[in-house]
Amino acid sequence: MRHRLGGFLTAALLTLTCFGVPASATVDTGQVVRTPSGLLRGSIAERTRLFQGIPFAAPPVGAARWRPPDAADRWTGIRDATKPGARCAQDAGQGTPVSTEEDCLYLNVTTPRTPPRHRPLPVLVWLHSGGFISGSGADQHVERLAAAGRMIIVTPNYRLGVFAYFGHPTLAGSGGFGLQDQQAALRWVRTHIAAFGGDPGNVTLGGSSAGAMTACAHLTSPTAAGLFHRLLMQSGGCSQTWPANGIYPGQPPGATWIPSAEVASAGVSLAVARGCRDPASAVDCLRQVPAKDLLYDEVASALPGPGYGNDVLPVDPAQALRDGRFHRVPVLTGTTRDEGRHFAAVLWPQPITPQRYQETLVESFGDHAPRVLARYSIEAFGSAGLAWATVLGDRVWTCTALSGMRSLARHTRVYAYEFADRAAPPFTEFPADIPSGAYHTSEVAYLIDVEGFRPELSPEQRRLATTMTRQWAGFVAGGTPNGHGLPQWPAFTFPATPEKTLSLDTGPGGVHTVDDLAQRHNCAFWSTIPA
């Protein structure tokens, strides 16, 4: 009987598709939903529904390369939404599959299997990581969080690398096309998410690493006003800066956000290198270059990251935070205890010898290198590699994040955490002298699964994951991670002291409030070392 009924419903849907569905009709059989753009057929799992490969903007190809995203076309019939769309053009440098596809502006929607009966569900738009050059929304397997947290999660693609952050003196929007894509996805959510049972008036924007950085940028973007109502940032933010060698060997000193003049200058260099020498036609000339040729172009690979000084980011987001010029929404943000171990272990040639460590300190801090060496001695950490990893974690990640938290807390409610489980499953083999610890983005695995990395958590870690899921869900639903039976999470306040941060760890008392984050990571010391 069940099979006959299912066949009857399928036939009925096909009949409606062929002869037209009345505009007033509601089509939601669980597997098929009606959206403002057309009907979608997704897939149903034990605890979730998943709709993949949904176009949220027109393909940015041909003459549309390096232009703001246009609205996607509607479709007729039932669109198959059981497979993800193409990932945006990227090479395999971050361990992700190669893609030369520019038709990539697709997103995925994951919902609890049981639709809401009385009121719509809160929505989380999760921006993938990947250093602005790799990754895709489909790499983020968010079923656990969507089901347990009773929320709808949207995972969009967005343009990467040269296709996202190219600039030129003649090109409007220089350096901001990837951010424009993300805002187009947020506008799609505003008009489409109700079809899936979501509340367009209750949207949290979040991400980790590069996803957190871009999420923070939208906090300061005038064109993002009203598109989200809370912000969730993990291991990233607006205020990150670094000295020379701050993330990988040979990296010049800098910051996440690049002035538009610098972005445009780099674009001129690319145009000249590709033979597009006439400034008036350089951008159109570059639009004729195949994606694969740009992807593997040495000059293109050296282009700076996201730029400000355009419509999306008129000013440096870090400065906007310091000035208090950002959207007043609640924020949940944090870092891991050992942020720098990922970078020292994965991006640096091994082993990091004592000589190389001391030479790097001189390259990075000049005349201040002896002070840094005294504070982060090889003897204190047991190896040069671990000492350098701790320098990176404290200087580049935690103390800059703390600076951003303080700027935010002057004007809005902030909940801050430090993920401290040093037994977190490593995503790759770490050198013996740099144990993985609570490495960069290690907390992500306690909330969602990432493509290629689904570790087995211990019973204690699963309990921590359950606590974190409830806290994150509470924040997404109502702006606070506090709830019945959960550890009390006080707001982070500044300039009032002490600054309360929630330490997330396993074991008895593993989740507890701390007020020594700045001391633990020597932030007062780092404030005396010039950038």
Side-chain angles (χ1 to χ4, degrees), residues 297-370:
D297 186 285
E298 288 188 11
V299 179
S301 298
L303 290 179
Y308 65 88
N310 48 49
D311 290 343
V312 179
L313 294 182
V315 299
D316 180 352
Q319 187 62 50
L321 245 60
R322 290 191 290 269
D323 294 342
R325 291 183 288 171
F326 59 86
H327 308 303
R328 302 293 195 262
V329 300
V331 177
L332 190 155
T333 182
T335 54
T336 66
R337 180 75 179 266
D338 306 301
E339 289 278 358
R341 296 192 188 185
H342 163 95
F343 301 95
V346 174
L347 300 184
W348 285 73
Q350 301 299 322
I352 299 175
T353 65
Q355 179 180 352
R356 180 60 179 131
Y357 173 52
Q358 294 179 55
E359 292 171 348
T360 301
L361 291 181
V362 173
E363 294 169 4
S364 300
F365 304 109
D367 293 342
H368 299 276

Side-chain angles (χ1 to χ4, degrees), residues 51-127:
F51 301 85
Q52 302 179 86
I54 307 170
F56 67 87
V61 300
R65 180 190 282 175
W66 301 316
R67 293 191 191 279
D70 288 325
D73 291 335
R74 291 173 51 85
W75 59 84
T76 59
I78 301 178
R79 182 185 178 96
D80 179 66
T82 61
K83 297 178 181 178
R87 63 178 57 235
C88 290
Q90 58 192 273
D91 66 22
Q94 297 290 309
T96 55
V98 173
S99 173
T100 58
E101 185 59 70
E102 292 183 82
D103 179 1
C104 64
L105 298 185
Y106 300 91
L107 54 74
N108 316 292
V109 177
T110 305
T111 84
R113 175 165 179 165
T114 306
R117 293 184 178 181
H118 304 295
R119 59 181 179 179
L121 294 175
V123 180
L124 171 62
V125 178
W126 182 259
L127 305 176

Side-chain angles (χ1 to χ4, degrees), residues 357-421:
Y357 173 52
Q358 294 179 55
E359 292 171 348
T360 301
L361 291 181
V362 173
E363 294 169 4
S364 300
F365 304 109
D367 293 342
H368 299 276
R371 292 179 58 205
V372 178
L373 181 60
R375 183 63 64 101
Y376 294 84
S377 68
I378 298 172
E379 293 74 21
F381 289 92
S383 74
L386 188 55
W388 176 239
T390 310
V391 168
L392 294 180
D394 291 357
R395 165 61 184 86
V396 179
W397 294 94
T398 301
C399 293
T400 59
L402 183 63
S403 173
M405 293 174 196
R406 289 170 172 171
S407 295
L408 289 165
R410 288 180 181 273
H411 304 281
T412 194
R413 187 168 70 253
V414 175
Y415 296 97
Y417 73 86
E418 180 174 76
F419 180 79
D421 181 11

